[in-house]
Amino acid sequence: MFSVSCAVGFDDYGSECDGIRITAFLDAGQDNLTPLGRLEKYAFSENVFNRQIVARGLLDVLREFSENENDFISVMETVARMSEDGEPTVRAELMEQVPNIAMFLHESRPNFPAAFSRYLVPIVVRYLTDPNNQVRKTSQAALLVLLEQGLISKADMETKVCPVLLDLTEPSSDDDYKIEAVAIMCKVVTMLNKDTVEHLLLPRFCELCSDARLFQVRKVCAANFGEFCSIVGQEATEKLLVIKMTLGLWGIRKACAECFMMVSNSTSPEVRRAKLSPLFISLISDQSRWVRQAAFQSLGRFISTFASPSTTGLYFREDELNSFDDSHTSGSRDRQDCFSLTNSTSLVKNNTKESEQTDENFNSFHYWRSPLPDISGELEMLSSPTLGAMKEKEEVLTMENCADSKSIHGNSTSDQIQKVLECLQPHMDDPDVQAQVQVLSAALKAAQLDSQPDDSPAETSPPEQPLLCLQNVIPQQLLDQYLSMTDPARAQTVDTEIAKHCAFSLPGVALTLGRQNWHCLKDTYETLATDVQWKVRRTLAFSIHELAVILGDQLTAADLVPIFNGFLKDLDEVRIGVLKHLYDFLKLLHANQRREYLYQLQEFMVTDNSRNWRFRYELAEQLILIIELYSHYDVYDYLRQIALTLCSDKVSEVRWISYKLVVEILQKLYASGADDLGMNFINELTVRFCHCPKWVGRQAFAFICQAVVEEDCMPMEQFSQHMLPSLLSLSSDPVANVRVLVAKALRQSVMEKGEPQFECHFYNHLEETMVALQSDKDRDVRFFASLDPNKTSSRRMGTTAASSGCD
């Protein structure tokens, strides 16, 4: 308790009162006042410092008075009156405490449910219009925190907060208040539900998007346009928001370009193609370099929104993505992550038998749309020899060049195409079906023209575009602009890193176009793979495994493997990209092609900078995964030597992960029935580690033994014969850190297997060793020798972990 002499008043405090409690003014002093009376005295003192201290200590004050409801209400009434203090610093101090007070009431005092809504929310709302800038900013920050924590009710948001924001954004509102209110509205909208946003804020947001007086308001709206679209959904976006994407100053146009992907994801394919694409093309060719730069950076992401199962062969469910292609691959990634095109996302191909089975939980209701009609029979008719040319032509036709097909012959052809068209007619609401119908209609027309007599007049078709550019998935202008991103002139006139942005989004563009349209991107990909900027090549290296999943086995072998091989010989900054996903890429290759890389794995041991130990650490991690891809003979002949070399690395982190690699190799050998190779490897480990002159090697042997037992790498009788004697011999090692790991291995792993697992003399020797370790001179050794594995002390484990990792 604070002394009475120091509780007279804050203005009387001297340097000797450094240990003051912030609520010391509540203690009994010379005034004979009650604690509540003393709170009143200091809360409305003429001394500003006293009032600031009271505001700063409000949470502690509430804690002291919260046991009694009447006292608590009195304190809240005092807070309400304090909020009208004429000193801005007092009001700012009070507002800074509001989120903490709200959390306290929410967690500890649920018996006062209305207190926050009645007393504090009005203060937050009123301070949004405070004349002092600091108070307003503090109130805005507090409001966001309260929303993030879910402490403001929906009713309060609709009846107290939103009305104030709407008032502040009226056309007649003060400019500064209006700009601030628009910014806070755009932040608040992401924390509200769709109905509240649509009914209360969306109409005003649409008005603000067209604010004729303040470009700052339009700029804020443009920057947050995508969030509004994603919240209110497709109907409101298409009806109210898309038409508001009017272009103004360059800053607003730039903001529009940056949010294009979110807007596009909130529209139908028809609106995306007919309205958004032309607008985006105008941004690509904008007179402002900054706008063009933002547009090109968003181009790949915008293209990815055109992806659909019919072109990618990949079907989305609510939380996963499955590929039902001819190679029976499967993968999973979050829908949003897939199209945000981050390098960290990946499509994982699974070649196990489980992945080849039908998903019993499949439900077409969870997919984007109902399945397309089964026209396999009709398509088989179209695969006849007389129509082979037509099929080849059909893959490269665009909607603009449909009428150019000349490869269909005979009346029978027309009849067969007509049957396919009839099957597709009930599904014309699907834009992808529309595209297919347009292509087939053009083919039908061409077939009819070809069946005419030679002297019949025929329409002259426009010249075809180059074969490599033709596709019918996205507007051709978008693809043409994307392909131009590798043009050196773009780097000079738009962005020096434009090629990097092209490389970053290429997997998403490839996924959108589908593997049947890879010919559109192949040259661009090869150009990027040889770009002089290593950052461009590095970007491709990090995502080449994703592209391999998209393209499938044949295209990967033909077009990606040569580029992958080039990356293996590149700078370390590029090589690390393929190394981090080495397993993901190798598992997509056929066994014979995969085996060729066994000879190149050793090259990863050599780096441009020997200090780059994380490179070797990553290699060890990848080898642990790669083991399953090769036979036990290949593992023994190639991976074993790399593992042993890594086990002798100068950096302890590399050594410890390499010990795990050694254990995985042993498990592979014994699981494959190669006991003779396993024995040879154990003998090699014993010589290299158990008899190592350096204590870290002997410590490593103890660690390996423990892992072998825990992972059941080999039968216990073989372990007891070939590894246990060497482990027991280390129990008298002169270095305590070695004995600690021996004690842990024996007590936590070996002893847990029980007496029946060992021959009698081995078990007797084991018990004698444990008795000796339990009386060891080192405290940690004694602890782990006596330890119940289920009651491990975190403090002890931390101590041992630190000691075992040092050199």
Side-chain angles (χ1 to χ4, degrees):
M1 183 65 66
F2 194 73
S3 63
V4 174
S5 61
C6 284
V8 176
F10 294 116
D11 47 343
D12 298 323
Y13 294 159
S15 59
E16 70 276 5
C17 297
D18 292 337
I20 181 175
R21 277 190 302 113
I22 202 166
T23 56
F25 58 86
L26 298 177
D27 299 339
Q30 304 171 357
D31 46 25
N32 296 321
L33 294 174
T34 64
L36 281 175
R38 201 167 292 110
L39 174 63
E40 284 272 325
K41 174 183 176 180
Y42 290 107
F44 303 102
S45 168
E46 294 182 358
N47 189 314
V48 174
F49 180 66
N50 286 354
R51 306 202 302 273
Q52 289 175 344
I53 290 296
V54 173
R56 193 175 302 162
L58 277 178
L59 180 59
D60 292 331
V61 170
L62 282 171
R63 284 197 178 104
E64 296 201 19
F65 289 101
S66 60
E67 297 298 329
N68 183 287
E69 184 173 357
N70 291 331
D71 289 347
F72 176 81
I73 296 299
S74 297
V75 173
M76 296 304 295
E77 294 283 357
T78 301
V79 172
R81 285 188 289 139
M82 280 189 69
S83 68
E84 300 175 358
D85 196 295
E87 173 58 42
T89 57
V90 175
R91 301 198 301 275
E93 284 281 5
L94 187 151
M95 185 48 57
E96 286 188 357
Q97 302 305 315
V98 166
N100 295 328
I101 294 174
M103 186 62 70
F104 167 72
L105 296 178
H106 177 73
E107 294 180 350
S108 306
R109 293 295 178 267
N111 52 324
F112 303 135
F116 175 69
S117 176
R118 179 179 177 184
Y119 293 103
L120 297 184
V121 172
I123 299 175
V124 175
V125 171
R126 189 170 73 251
Y127 280 6
L128 291 175
T129 60
D130 195 275
N132 182 269
N133 182 64
Q134 180 187 2
V135 176
R136 291 200 309 275
K137 295 298 184 186
T138 307
S139 175
Q140 294 166 12
L143 176 60
L144 293 177
V145 172
L146 294 172
L147 282 171
E148 289 172 354
Q149 299 296 326
L151 299 175
I152 298 185
S153 67
K154 178 182 178 183
D156 281 343
M157 280 301 303
E158 295 179 350
T159 61
K160 297 177 181 178
V161 178
C162 288
V164 172
L165 295 176
L166 293 174
D167 288 342
L168 291 175
T169 53
E170 287 282 358
S172 59
S173 178
D174 178 87
D175 289 355
D176 290 339
Y177 286 10
K178 189 174 185 178
I179 294 171
E180 290 178 357
V182 173
I184 196 72
M185 177 193 291
C186 291
K187 292 179 180 177
V188 163
V189 73
T190 61
M191 306 171 196
L192 301 177
N193 59 50
K194 177 183 177 182
D195 292 338
T196 301
V197 173
E198 194 166 359
H199 294 118
L200 290 180
L201 301 181
L202 182 58
R204 176 56 50 81
F205 181 78
C206 291
E207 295 174 10
L208 294 169
C209 288
S210 304
D211 190 291
R213 195 161 55 86
L214 294 173
F215 83 91
Q216 296 97 325
V217 170
R218 301 197 305 276
K219 185 175 181 180
V220 172
C221 291
N224 294 276
F225 202 85
E227 280 78 7
F228 263 90
C229 292
S230 62
I231 290 170
V232 300
Q234 179 177 322
E235 183 178 355
T237 295
E238 296 181 354
K239 183 178 179 181
L240 300 173
L241 290 175
V242 169
I243 60 176
K244 294 296 181 180
M245 292 189 74
T246 54
L247 304 179
L249 299 176
W250 73 266
I252 299 173
R253 302 196 302 274
K254 178 176 179 290
C256 285
E258 291 169 343
C259 72
F260 233 83
M261 178 185 173
M262 295 184 70
V263 177
S264 183
N265 274 332
S266 303
T267 63
S268 65
E270 296 86 352
V271 171
R272 185 178 302 131
R273 185 178 292 268
K275 295 183 179 180
L276 295 185
S277 294
L279 180 58
F280 195 88
I281 291 298
S282 69
L283 294 173
I284 284 284
S285 55
D286 195 274
Q287 61 182 358
S288 168
R289 176 169 181 161
W290 303 111
V291 177
R292 298 197 303 272
Q293 184 180 102
F296 272 110
Q297 290 179 11
S298 300
L299 177 56
R301 296 194 293 270
F302 178 44
I303 288 176
S304 73
T305 63
F306 287 84
S308 67
S310 64
T311 55
T312 64
L314 299 164
Y315 292 77
F316 286 95
R317 209 147 64 181
E318 289 180 352
D319 59 348
E320 66 178 329
L321 173 149
N322 294 319
S323 171
F324 297 99
D325 57 17
D326 54 0
S327 61
H328 302 285
T329 61
S330 68
S332 64
R333 64 159 58 165
D334 182 85
R335 173 179 175 178
Q336 182 177 357
D337 288 344
C338 176
F339 290 111
S340 64
L341 306 178
T342 56
N343 281 333
S344 61
T345 59
S346 63
L347 292 168
V348 182
K349 183 177 180 182
N350 187 347
N351 291 321
T352 60
K353 294 182 180 179
E354 289 77 9
S355 69
E356 298 180 0
Q357 297 175 353
T358 302
D359 184 358
E360 296 178 355
N361 296 321
F362 172 84
N363 185 344
S364 62
F365 179 77
H366 290 147
Y367 285 72
W368 279 357
R369 59 169 179 230
S370 300
L372 297 180
D374 183 7
I375 57 174
S376 56
E378 290 79 359
L379 291 177
E380 285 180 6
M381 290 190 297
L382 292 178
S383 65
S384 62
T386 59
L387 301 178
M390 185 204 76
K391 285 185 61 182
E392 181 178 355
K393 187 73 173 181
E394 190 177 295
E395 292 180 357
V396 297
L397 285 175
T398 62
M399 288 188 292
E400 294 80 6
N401 296 282
C402 289
D404 196 37
S405 176
K406 301 290 184 179
S407 304
I408 309 174
H409 304 284
N411 292 330
S412 60
T413 299
S414 302
D415 295 339
Q416 292 163 352
I417 298 176
Q418 189 64 49
K419 290 182 180 180
V420 177
L421 288 171
E422 290 173 0
C423 291
L424 294 175
Q425 284 303 317
H427 303 271
M428 283 299 291
D429 57 335
D430 191 312
D432 296 307
V433 174
Q434 294 172 13
Q436 295 172 20
V437 168
Q438 289 178 346
V439 171
L440 290 173
S441 298
L444 176 61
K445 184 177 181 180
Q448 293 169 344
L449 290 174
D450 285 350
S451 65
Q452 294 176 353
D454 293 338
D455 57 352
S456 299
E459 297 179 8
T460 303
S461 300
E464 278 193 355
Q465 296 185 30
L467 178 66
L468 294 180
C469 297
L470 298 176
Q471 48 80 43
N472 61 359
V473 180
I474 63 176
Q476 189 64 38
Q477 279 186 295
L478 289 179
L479 179 60
D480 292 343
Q481 292 290 348
Y482 180 79
L483 298 178
S484 75
M485 292 176 74
T486 57
D487 186 349
R490 293 292 193 191
Q492 298 299 320
T493 60
V494 179
D495 184 1
T496 56
E497 293 196 344
I498 190 171
K500 181 181 177 183
H501 297 304
C502 181
F504 185 76
S505 58
L506 196 139
V509 176
L511 178 65
T512 302
L513 291 174
R515 66 182 57 164
Q516 72 273 17
N517 291 314
W518 169 241
H519 58 268
C520 298
L521 296 175
K522 179 182 175 182
D523 287 348
T524 298
Y525 190 77
E526 292 176 350
T527 300
L528 292 170
T530 56
D531 195 279
V532 295
Q533 301 180 78
W534 64 264
K535 290 183 178 179
V536 175
R537 305 195 304 275
R538 173 185 169 93
T539 301
L540 293 183
F542 269 96
S543 62
I544 193 170
H545 65 289
E546 295 180 347
L547 192 57
V549 174
I550 296 169
L551 297 185
D553 298 344
Q554 293 183 357
L555 290 175
T556 294
D559 298 335
L560 296 190
V561 166
I563 292 175
F564 182 84
N565 293 339
F567 289 157
L568 291 178
K569 302 173 184 178
D570 212 313
L571 301 175
D572 284 354
E573 289 81 1
V574 178
R575 295 170 71 208
I576 190 65
V578 294
L579 177 58
K580 275 185 172 292
H581 301 286
L582 188 61
Y583 166 77
D584 294 324
F585 187 82
L586 292 181
K587 72 177 182 179
L588 301 175
L589 304 181
H590 292 297
N592 57 345
Q593 193 171 34
R594 183 190 305 146
R595 197 170 185 277
E596 296 176 5
Y597 288 95
L598 279 170
Y599 309 95
Q600 301 183 50
L601 292 176
Q602 184 72 34
E603 297 177 10
F604 281 111
M605 298 293 294
V606 181
T607 56
D608 298 337
N609 186 348
S610 59
R611 296 182 179 178
N612 189 4
W613 63 267
R614 289 181 177 84
F615 203 94
R616 301 188 297 277
Y617 184 95
E618 187 66 46
L619 173 60
E621 282 198 321
Q622 286 295 310
L623 291 179
I624 290 175
L625 300 173
I626 287 172
I627 286 175
E628 73 172 56
L629 302 179
Y630 295 101
S631 70
H632 60 276
Y633 292 111
D634 288 337
V635 169
Y636 185 83
D637 291 339
Y638 297 96
L639 303 190
R640 175 180 59 90
Q641 289 298 330
I642 300 176
L644 292 175
T645 303
L646 290 171
C647 284
S648 302
D649 199 90
K650 294 180 179 180
V651 179
S652 62
E653 284 87 347
V654 177
R655 294 198 302 272
W656 285 101
I657 189 67
S658 302
Y659 301 153
K660 296 179 181 179
L661 172 59
V662 164
V663 173
E664 292 294 330
I665 293 175
L666 263 178
Q667 189 168 33
K668 174 80 173 185
L669 296 177
Y670 277 96
S672 302
D675 293 10
D676 53 339
L677 296 181
M679 271 298 307
N680 292 341
F681 194 30
I682 288 175
N683 292 335
E684 195 169 7
L685 294 175
T686 303
V687 172
R688 182 179 289 262
F689 295 115
C690 184
H691 301 151
C692 181
K694 296 183 178 180
W695 67 268
V696 290
R698 303 193 299 275
Q699 186 187 55
F701 186 82
F703 175 84
I704 292 172
C705 288
Q706 182 175 2
V708 166
V709 175
E710 291 177 350
E711 299 295 330
D712 290 322
C713 293
M714 55 193 300
M716 281 303 297
E717 58 270 17
Q718 293 199 33
F719 172 82
S720 63
Q721 292 179 14
H722 305 300
M723 297 192 77
L724 182 59
S726 299
L727 177 63
L728 294 176
S729 69
L730 295 177
S731 62
S732 58
D733 195 276
V735 178
N737 279 345
V738 176
R739 301 198 304 277
V740 165
L741 258 67
V742 171
K744 286 182 63 178
L746 294 177
R747 171 58 67 187
Q748 296 180 6
S749 301
V750 178
M751 295 288 287
E752 288 298 301
K753 293 297 181 179
E755 183 175 355
Q757 300 291 336
F758 305 98
E759 295 182 11
C760 183
H761 67 282
F762 281 123
Y763 194 78
N764 292 337
H765 191 188
L766 178 59
E767 284 192 322
E768 293 173 0
T769 302
M770 292 307 303
V771 171
L773 291 172
Q774 288 168 5
S775 58
D776 194 274
K777 61 182 179 180
D778 184 86
R779 181 181 61 179
D780 288 336
V781 175
R782 296 196 304 271
F783 175 79
F784 283 105
S786 308
L787 183 65
D788 180 349
N790 296 321
K791 299 179 181 179
T792 301
S793 165
S794 59
R795 183 184 66 82
R796 292 284 187 171
M797 289 296 291
T799 301
T800 304
S803 65
S804 63
C806 62
D807 292 335

